[in-house]
């Protein structure tokens, strides 16, 4: 007698519900999503719901940030304060404990993992349609079953009975079974709703095990098991949609993959529901080649490890800029997603329309016409690497995966590596990154997961922590139990520790900034300590100038605007070497940005912030936005990103290229910039003078005009002397004729 061996199924998580389909993708590039609509409850007697809640988790808990490629990062941050103080009370209606509130469905994607790794795979294992359900049901003879993977090693199986005709029934006996060891239930929409449910489940079931969960446990500690159990948990049922994409298996030959499909589902749901941050859309947009280049450059930074010879890391980039604010909020970051996207746009879609210090005009997001795209193609040599036939078909928003990969490599080779070099080697950025690594080591020694998360796990986390702290103090300030009072004290203690670490980081960065000074003692006040005002001034320059979109765009786009006028070749065989000129450019700038004496330190502050006078830190005097500062001479309005040509001018004054051809271009650009700067300075002085005297410009006499000219020329002269230690470029007679 022989027996046929049937391997035991690996599908240990089972869910029943209703099936349906919808399309994901863009334009003609779509893929079918097959889903199961079911619900999940907190019923303590339901083993199926407990199994689902054990496997369900937000993205931040399933995949480790350091193990993912950058294009695999989707939604990571959760506003735990909002979940704890708004959504959980919404579910547990304290005014009416019998009431149960309703949420829209939580949308989950069944994402397979790489073999022996907790890392998302690009495709399912082979998907087949079979006629054998996981479990037969009496009275049902025909089935339509979709299975990924081989028996005993399955990823998932979708079972639908055929009750009438030839079509699978969508409502009766539909089951989705999953192998949690080969796939993960990744929430692509509704993380906050899901987290409210998970927090209640975990608090009653001791389910906060694991390092990734522990960092967020504290946000939900006020919801004690005793309090939660006063509610009828069996009545709390929330809808959930579990999505699969059966066409995306190992035999698929198109341009789609599961990561791209997940981004498409996320963007579609969020763009049509309520607006998400512009930063998130920039990162996830698969229909913008600029976003592809952005992800590529960030992936290079993210994949760095201890062997790198520089300290620039992914946590130095603000990935989740809060409320679409351009100004950085993170302690550890010196640049951000919006910074880099803006820079890449202005690098590749520039149409030679930089005009002295005039603002850049137009919306680059709308630069999609052939004229602009041809400039991008020329800069990336697309016809050579793609061939003319393929090259003629691509646009900013239309390209295949293969084309995207080739062009991303082109961008990395031509521009990307230079952008990273600038960020790595400009002295202020370099010392910022060094100081962040010191901060990281110090935090890791304390083993406080919450504090580490606030500094290094996404820029929204710090805001969430402070929101949570504020809400708890407001809620329980007059009625805190001993346990809650202890919780409040713990959170307040962490807040103080965070503030102390932030101050220590800035202190460390300042000390690195002055490390080259040969006469550091001149910074000391009468007590022999470094004057705290000087520290604040330098920190202010970092926050308000060096880390802005405008400054960084000038730094990078300004260099390439000059280089591209003398060379269209970026390899080592060019007449003008990119690497050599870039290194020289940074060396020139660092002469100013790395002061080596107290005198140079004063000039640096005087240019970017305001005039510093005095012999040492004990008698120093400061005039904010003094007449000879950058913010009075060059840019008197609020510094917006499109005003970056004004910073470009400042950098041009510091740059002495090796190439004589480049020097000719710079000289020509400087003449134009200087003329514009002085004319604008004089005309603004004229307006202010007439406004103060309550007269019209036509009534201003020669003496008044001479006074305004002299004051304007003196301000410009003082600015240049602080910046370059030279005023040779200023011919007073020339400027008299100019105005």
């Amino acid at each position: 007698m022989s027996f046929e061996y049937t391997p035991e199924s690996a599908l240990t998580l089972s869910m029943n519900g209703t099936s349906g389909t919808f399309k994901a993708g863009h334009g003609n590039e779509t893929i079918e999503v097959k889903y199961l609509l079911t619900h999940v409850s907190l019923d303590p007697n339901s083993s199926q719901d407990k199994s689902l809640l054990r496997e369900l988790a937000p993205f931040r808990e399933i995949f480790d940030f350091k193990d993912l490629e950058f294009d695999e990062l989707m939604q990571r941050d959760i506003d735990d304060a909002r979940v704890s103080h708004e959504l959980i009370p919404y579910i547990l209606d304290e005014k009416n404990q019998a009431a149960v509130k309703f949420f829209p469905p939580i949308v989950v994607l069944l994402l397979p993992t790489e073999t022996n790794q907790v890392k998302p795979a690009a495709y399912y294992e082979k998907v087949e349609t079979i006629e054998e359900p996981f479990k037969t049901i009496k009275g049902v003879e025909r089935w339509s079953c979709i299975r990924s993977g081989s028996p005993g090693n399955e990823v998932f199986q979708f079972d639908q009975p055929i009750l009438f005709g030839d079509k699978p029934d969508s409502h009766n006996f539909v089951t989705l079974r999953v192998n949690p060891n080969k796939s993960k239930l990744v929430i692509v929409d509704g993380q906050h709703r899901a987290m409210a449910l998970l927090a209640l489940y975990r608090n009653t079931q001791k389910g906060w095990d694991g390092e990734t969960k522990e960092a967020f446990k504290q946000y939900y500690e006020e919801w004690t098991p005793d309090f939660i159990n006063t509610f009828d948990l069996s009545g709390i049922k929330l809808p959930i949609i579990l999505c699969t994409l059966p066409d995306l298996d190992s035999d698929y030959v198109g341009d789609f993959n599961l990561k791209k499909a997940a981004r498409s589902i996320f963007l579609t749901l969020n763009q049509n529901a309520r607006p998400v941050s512009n930063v998130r859309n920039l990162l996830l947009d698969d229909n913008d080649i600029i976003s592809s280049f952005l992800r590529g450059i960030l992936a290079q930074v993210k994949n760095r490890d201890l062997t790198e010879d520089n300290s620039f890391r992914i946590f130095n980039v603000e990935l989740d800029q809060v409320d679409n604010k351009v100004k950085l909020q993170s302690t550890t970051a010196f640049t951000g997603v919006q910074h880099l996207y803006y820079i890449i746009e202005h690098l590749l879609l520039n149409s030679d329309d930089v005009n002295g210090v005039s603002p850049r005009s137009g919306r680059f997001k709308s630069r999609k016409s052939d004229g602009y795209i041809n400039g991008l193609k020329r800069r990336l040599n697309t016809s050579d690497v793609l061939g003319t036939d393929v090259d003629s078909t691509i646009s900013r928003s239309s390209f295949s995966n293969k084309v995207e990969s080739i062009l991303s490599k082109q961008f990395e080779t031509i521009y990307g590596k230079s952008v990273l070099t600038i960020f790595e080697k400009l002295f202020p950025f370099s010392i910022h990154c060094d100081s962040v690594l010191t901060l990281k080591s110090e935090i890791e020694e304390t083993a406080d997961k919450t504090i580490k998360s606030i500094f290094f796990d996404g820029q929204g986390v710090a805001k969430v922590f402070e929101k949570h702290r504020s809400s708890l103090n407001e809620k329980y300030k007059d009625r805190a139990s001993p346990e809650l009072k202890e919780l409040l004290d713990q959170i307040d203690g962490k807040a103080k520790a965070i503030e102390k670490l932030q101050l220590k980081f800035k202190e460390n960065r300042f000390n690195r900034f002055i490390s080259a000074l040969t006469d550091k003692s001149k910074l000391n006040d009468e007590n022999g300590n470094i004057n705290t005002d000087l520290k604040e001034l330098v920190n202010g320059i970092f926050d308000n100038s060096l880390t802005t979109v405008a400054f960084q765009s000038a730094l990078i786009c300004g260099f390439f605007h000059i280089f591209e006028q003398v060379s269209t070749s970026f390899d080592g065989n060019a007449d003008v070497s990119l690497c050599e000129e870039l290194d020289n450019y940074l060396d020139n700038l660092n002469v100013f940005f790395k002061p080596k004496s107290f005198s140079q330190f004063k000039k640096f502050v005087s240019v970017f912030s305001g005039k510093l006078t005095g012999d040492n830190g004990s008698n120093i005097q400061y005039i904010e936005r003094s007449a000879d500062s950058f913010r009075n001479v060059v840019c008197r309005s609020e510094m917006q990103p499109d005003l970056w040509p004004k910073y470009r001018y400042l950098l041009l004054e510091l740059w002495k290229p090796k190439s004589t051809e480049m020097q000719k271009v710079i000289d020509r650009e400087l003449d134009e910039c200087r003329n514009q700067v002085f004319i604008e300075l004089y005309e603004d002085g004229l307006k202010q003078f007439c406004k103060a005297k309550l007269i019209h410009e036509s009534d201003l006499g020669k003496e008044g005009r001479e006074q305004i000219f002299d004051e304007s020329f003196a301000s410009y002269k003082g600015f240049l002397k602080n910046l370059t230690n030279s005023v040779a470029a200023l011919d007073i007679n020339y400027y008299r004729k100019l105005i």
Side-chain angles (χ1 to χ4, degrees), residues 65-79:
F65 180 83
K66 67 178 182 293
D67 294 332
L68 299 175
E69 298 299 326
F70 196 84
D71 69 343
E72 294 164 349
L73 300 176
M74 289 174 285
Q75 24 173 194
R76 297 183 61 249
D77 287 343
I78 295 176
D79 187 342

Side-chain angles (χ1 to χ4, degrees), residues 653-667:
E653 291 283 11
L654 299 171
W655 187 9
K656 305 299 178 189
K658 292 188 174 183
S659 162
T660 55
E661 289 302 310
M662 287 184 71
Q663 186 63 63
K664 290 178 182 177
V665 174
I666 290 175
D667 289 342

Side-chain angles (χ1 to χ4, degrees), residues 23-32 247 252 256:
K23 295 285 187 179
H26 178 77
N28 296 324
E29 188 182 45
T30 60
I31 201 81
E32 185 174 84
D247 291 340
Y252 180 76
F256 239 70

Side-chain angles (χ1 to χ4, degrees), residues 22 33-36 107-111 124 158 176 188 241-245 265:
F22 65 89
V33 180
K34 187 174 182 64
Y35 67 83
L36 181 84
V107 182
V108 176
L109 177 64
L110 182 65
L111 200 59
Y124 293 112
F158 225 123
L176 173 62
V188 293
I241 293 176
L242 297 114
C243 300
T244 65
L245 295 100
I265 294 170

Side-chain angles (χ1 to χ4, degrees), residues 3 8 85 144 158 168 187 196 225 242 250 254 262 265 278 436 460 590 695:
F3 296 92
E8 184 177 352
H85 298 292
S144 174
F158 225 123
I187 302 166
L242 297 114
S250 53
I265 294 170
N278 181 52
V436 170
N590 281 334
I695 61 174

